[in-house]
């Protein structure tokens, strides 16, 4: 096979010809000095570095001014070993906006651009020097000030809310009908959050028309409701206790024979036979142990007439109590007929007998109120006749009460009881003391239990 030889083209046959003039090429040494830019220094800023800030999703107004806050790096941290120790942690904050708070922070160690460094160049055209400074890349975020949660209570509130929701869920799932009803009541009676908030000036929000109508209806219903003090006063008035003076400054002015017995009834009580008995020194038997133990000392003491009449009235009360018999109903007692009662209370005149019968009985019957009233009357009279400090053994024997019962009655008139060591080894004596200020048992306010 014959070889095909390619024919070479001549230089003149080329479509383009080279220029015959040589082009002068400017070497770097021949360049003008004005086009050369020299980097004079690359440095890291100290306390106030320049900031390259971005605001994703925000439109920052020009009037926003930021305050810079710095925190130095810990001395032993790994970051301080790698980076410059003079570069602090920088945070920018602004509260100049009326509704928003702006905060600019650096990306942390796990950020997308945490491994990058950013620089800002400053060029001086006069000297031709170009200075490069390391800058901080920061991102600006905005938070609505009115809805900003408190940082210190956020975790605790979230935890308590979660526990409450868990308890409610358990109650709704496994609770009894009563528990489910209580959960439903809590939901129905929940206060709307907008009614518990305040406006920007801190003033509470005004009630709407429905809330005002509800408050007016509640006010109309509760207008005549008794207060706690009124309830206490009503309870004191209904108690079976003798009348007393709560404003008295001396203990002898709290309970007086005139207020307990009455002036006319007190003056009608005969005491001539007792006065002659004490004057003659006769030892006439007296059924009451308390009265017998104090007859001589009172008759020979100060103000004997007044105090003997008070002692005689106490003797009538003890004899009246001992003359009763159990009634038909449980806790009641029957008193003797009037004729027999006059014989038992000799030498009491008719007004004194009627006073005792009407005050401590009703239709010939003593109910629990009358029994308690007579016992408290006897406690108050015994305190008056014993100078407000006495051994309770004899009066308890006359009334047929034990230490616990007598202590309860004596506390109802504002007194105190205490136990002291007796004369014999291993014994004690109950002592009753009536002194200011009086201490009455408080009325227990029990909350009604839902059915």
């Amino acid at each position: 096979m014959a070889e095909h030889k390619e024919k070479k083209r001549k230089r003149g046959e080329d479509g383009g010809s080279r220029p015959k003039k040589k082009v002068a090429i400017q070497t770097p040494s021949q360049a003008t000095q004005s086009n050369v830019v020299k980097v004079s220094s690359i440095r890291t800023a100290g306390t106030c570095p320049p900031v390259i800030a971005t605001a994703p999703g925000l439109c920052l107004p020009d009037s926003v001014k930021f305050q810079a806050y710095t925190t130095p790096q810990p001395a032993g941290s790994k970051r301080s070993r790698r980076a410059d120790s003079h570069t602090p942690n920088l945070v920018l904050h602004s509260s100049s906006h009326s509704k928003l708070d702006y905060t600019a922070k650096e990306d942390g160690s796990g950020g997308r651009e945490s491994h990058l460094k950013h620089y800002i160049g400053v060029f001086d055209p006069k000297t031709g020097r170009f200075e490069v400074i390391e800058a901080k890349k920061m991102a600006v975020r905005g938070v609505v000030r009115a809805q900003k949660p408190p940082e210190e209570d956020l975790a605790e509130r979230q935890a308590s809310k979660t526990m409450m929701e868990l308890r409610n869920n358990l109650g709704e799932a496994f609770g009894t009908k009563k528990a489910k009803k209580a959960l439903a009541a809590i939901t129905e009676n929940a206060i709307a959050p907008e009614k518990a908030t305040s406006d920007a000036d801190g003033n509470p929000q005004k009630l709407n028309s429905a809330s005002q109508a509800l408050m007016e209806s509640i006010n109309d219903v509760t207008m005549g409701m008794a207060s706690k003090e009124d309830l206490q006063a009503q309870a004191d008035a209904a108690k079976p206790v003798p009348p007393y003076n709560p404003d008295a400054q001396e203990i002898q002015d709290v309970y007086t024979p005139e207020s307990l017995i009455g002036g006319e009834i007190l003056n009608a009580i005969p005491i001539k036979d007792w006065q002659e008995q004490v004057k003659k020194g006769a030892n006439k038997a007296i059924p009451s142990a308390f009265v017998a133990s104090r007859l001589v000392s009172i008759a020979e003491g100060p103000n004997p007439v007044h105090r003997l009449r008070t002692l005689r009235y106490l003797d009538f009360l003890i004899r009246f109590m001992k003359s009763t018999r159990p009634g038909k109903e449980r806790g009641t007692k029957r008193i003797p007929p009037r004729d027999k009662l006059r014989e038992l209370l000799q030498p009491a005149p008719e007004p004194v007998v009627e006073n005792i019968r009407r005050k401590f009985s009703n239709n010939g019957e003593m109910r629990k109120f009358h029994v308690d009233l007579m016992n408290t009357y006897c406690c108050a009279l015994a305190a008056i006749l014993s100078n407000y400090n006495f051994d309770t053994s004899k009066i308890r024997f006359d009334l047929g009460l034990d230490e616990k019962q007598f202590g309860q009655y004596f506390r109802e008139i504002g007194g105190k009881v205490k136990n002291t060591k007796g004369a014999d080894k291993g014994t004690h004596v109950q002592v009753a003391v009536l002194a200011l200020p009086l201490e009455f048992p408080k009325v227990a306010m029990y909350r009604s239990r839902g059915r």
Side-chain angles (χ1 to χ4, degrees), residues 250-251 254 388-389 410 413-416 432-439:
E250 301 292 337
I251 188 60
V254 178
Y388 309 99
N389 192 330
F410 201 77
I413 66 173
K416 301 177 183 178
V433 180
L434 188 65
L436 292 177
L438 302 181
E439 296 182 5

Side-chain angles (χ1 to χ4, degrees), residues 226-237:
S227 62
K228 187 176 181 180
E229 290 75 12
D230 297 336
L231 292 175
Q232 185 68 38
Q234 294 177 6
D236 293 341

Side-chain angles (χ1 to χ4, degrees), residues 5-18:
K5 294 183 179 180
E6 185 180 1
K7 189 177 181 179
K8 294 183 179 181
R9 289 183 301 176
K10 294 182 179 181
R11 183 177 296 178
E13 294 178 0
D14 194 0
S17 59
R18 293 183 180 180

Side-chain angles (χ1 to χ4, degrees), residues 161-292:
K161 182 178 179 181
T162 304
M163 292 299 296
M164 181 60 69
E165 290 177 352
L166 291 175
R167 291 183 61 185
N168 291 344
N169 294 338
L170 287 174
E172 293 176 357
F174 305 102
T176 60
K177 292 183 178 180
K178 186 176 180 181
K180 293 179 180 179
K181 187 176 180 180
L183 292 175
I186 293 174
T187 305
E188 293 175 359
N189 298 330
I191 301 175
E194 61 271 12
K195 294 183 180 179
T197 57
S198 303
D199 54 14
D201 298 333
N203 299 321
Q205 291 184 353
K206 294 183 179 179
L207 298 176
N208 52 26
S209 58
S211 300
Q212 289 180 354
L214 179 62
M215 295 301 294
E216 290 177 358
S217 62
I218 293 175
N219 188 23
D220 295 339
V221 172
T222 59
M223 185 178 297
M225 186 179 294
S227 62
K228 187 176 181 180
E229 290 75 12
D230 297 336
L231 292 175
Q232 185 68 38
Q234 294 177 6
D236 293 341
K239 282 183 177 181
V241 294
Y244 67 97
N245 181 14
D247 301 327
Q249 301 297 324
E250 301 292 337
I251 188 60
Q252 59 267 20
D253 298 330
V254 178
Y255 295 101
T256 60
E258 288 78 10
S259 63
L260 299 178
I261 304 171
E264 296 182 358
I265 300 299
L266 187 63
N267 293 330
I269 296 176
I271 56 171
K272 187 175 181 180
D273 56 334
W274 277 4
Q275 289 176 327
E276 293 178 354
Q277 177 181 343
V278 173
K279 186 176 181 180
K280 295 179 181 179
N283 190 11
K284 187 177 180 180
I286 298 178
S288 172
F290 181 86
V291 174

